[in-house]
Amino acid sequence: MGYKAKFKVWRGDASGGDLQDFTVEVNEGEVVLDVIHRLQATQAPDMAVRWNCKAGKCGSCSAEINGRPRLMCMTRMSVFAEDETVTVTPMRTFPVIRDLVTDVSYNYEKAREVPAFAPPEGVAPGEYRMQQVDVERSQEFRKCIECFLCQNTCHVVRDHEDNKANFSGPRFLMRIAELDMHPLDAHENRAQEAKTDHGLGFCNITKCCTEVCPEHIKITDNALIPMKERVADHYYDPILRLFKR
Ligand code: SF4
Ligand code: F3S
Ligand code: FES
């Protein structure tokens, strides 16, 4: 059965904006993105929203719904009471372009700073061999849809704009961990770079990134903490240090 819901949607641009009130029809089975589309169709044709797949796979429709970072296309209206006001705001960590659309270039810049997989010397593509356990370990990280909700949520950049220059965020520290755990990756300095170039030390394991990941990737436990251990081994393991000498 349909009902009328109360929505507050942030409207504005880089120069400022405010929450705008709407009363809008909601039908059974709908998600927040359906309601935003209905607002565009009936009341606010110029409302800006980024989306693509409506299936939780393109990572485009990230926003904050009642203060919680979520995908709009994967947030069912049935999780809210019918008399509850649903507030939709853009991701807070990135600059607003317009309405619900933010400029996520920070993430692309950080992505470019991670050196790509370096194939092992003398082994042609198709000849790579690795243990199933190693395949499975990185498979979890490959589920990432680059929605950047983890990047938006991590307090290191959410509350401290200045840290953006020196901190690549959970998504890209996870990418470094994935490559460092890859038995065939020939790039030698991943652990060192995670510390010096990507700011792994800023992460104090609050796990907020893991909590908001729509792919349920255990970012902190399976990528960031093991990466911290690898960094500790690289810098402080007395036996390794002896070998390095
Ligand atoms: Fe989104 Fe999860 Fe990937 Fe972060 S790790 S960008 S939250 S899918
Ligand atoms: Fe930030 Fe996640 Fe670490 S939220 S502090 S990157 S555990
Ligand atoms: Fe693709 Fe929501 S529209 S993840």
Side-chain angles (χ1 to χ4, degrees):
M1 284 291 286
Y3 67 97
K4 299 267 187 204
K6 288 197 168 33
F7 260 66
K8 281 183 189 288
V9 182
W10 195 89
R11 310 286 319 269
D13 56 25
S15 62
D18 217 341
L19 289 171
Q20 198 173 327
D21 290 303
F22 297 96
T23 302
V24 55
E25 185 189 325
V26 175
N27 299 312
E28 199 174 342
E30 287 186 336
V31 294
V32 169
L33 187 60
D34 289 315
V35 179
I36 296 292
H37 283 161
R38 182 162 300 117
L39 288 175
Q40 280 183 323
T42 58
Q43 304 181 45
D46 61 342
M47 182 182 283
V49 57
R50 187 186 278 134
W51 70 285
N52 203 317
C53 69
K54 207 168 167 275
K57 286 295 161 220
C58 73
S60 308
C61 68
S62 303
E64 306 200 358
I65 304 172
N66 288 355
R68 191 176 165 80
R70 309 181 71 137
L71 296 177
M72 284 186 273
C73 73
M74 296 303 283
T75 306
R76 292 193 171 279
M77 284 303 297
S78 57
V79 303
F80 308 107
E82 291 189 5
D83 59 356
E84 188 176 351
T85 301
V86 179
T87 304
V88 188
T89 50
M91 286 192 284
R92 202 181 86 191
T93 300
F94 311 122
V96 167
I97 297 174
R98 195 156 68 84
D99 302 338
L100 299 175
V101 178
T102 54
D103 176 357
V104 293
S105 332
Y106 160 73
N107 301 288
Y108 299 122
E109 282 155 25
K110 295 301 175 186
R112 276 194 290 272
E113 288 169 13
V114 178
F117 170 75
E121 227 174 279
V123 189
E127 291 175 355
Y128 298 171
R129 296 290 178 269
M130 56 197 273
Q131 298 283 330
Q132 188 59 30
V133 66
D134 291 320
V135 175
E136 278 157 16
R137 190 179 295 126
S138 61
Q139 204 64 28
E140 179 188 13
F141 309 139
R142 304 289 293 180
K143 289 193 302 178
C144 174
I145 58 169
E146 303 225 305
C147 64
F148 306 134
L149 286 173
C150 58
Q151 301 283 97
N152 170 58
T153 306
C154 177
H155 67 99
V156 174
V157 283
R158 189 175 175 93
D159 301 333
H160 307 278
E161 179 71 24
D162 294 355
N163 287 341
K164 281 187 178 166
N166 302 312
F167 182 64
S168 295
R171 193 277 168 264
F172 299 105
L173 289 166
M174 178 177 86
R175 172 74 179 142
I176 295 167
E178 178 196 332
L179 290 164
D180 201 45
M181 290 173 193
H182 196 306
L184 296 175
D185 179 46
H187 186 88
E188 278 185 358
N189 302 319
R190 302 248 181 232
Q192 191 187 331
E193 288 167 6
K195 177 178 159 70
T196 54
D197 303 349
H198 300 278
L200 180 63
F202 282 90
C203 164
N204 55 354
I205 320 184
T206 56
K207 298 199 182 185
C208 314
C209 52
T210 303
E211 273 178 35
V212 298
C213 177
E215 285 293 321
H216 308 293
I217 303 170
K218 293 198 169 68
I219 307 169
T220 321
D221 286 353
N222 292 350
L224 304 184
I225 294 174
M227 201 61 220
K228 280 175 177 284
E229 288 166 354
R230 284 163 181 252
V231 169
D233 284 351
H234 178 85
Y235 281 94
Y236 309 114
D237 185 306
I239 297 172
L240 273 182
R241 283 173 69 127
L242 215 61
F243 275 117
K244 275 188 216 147
R245 272 187 211 158

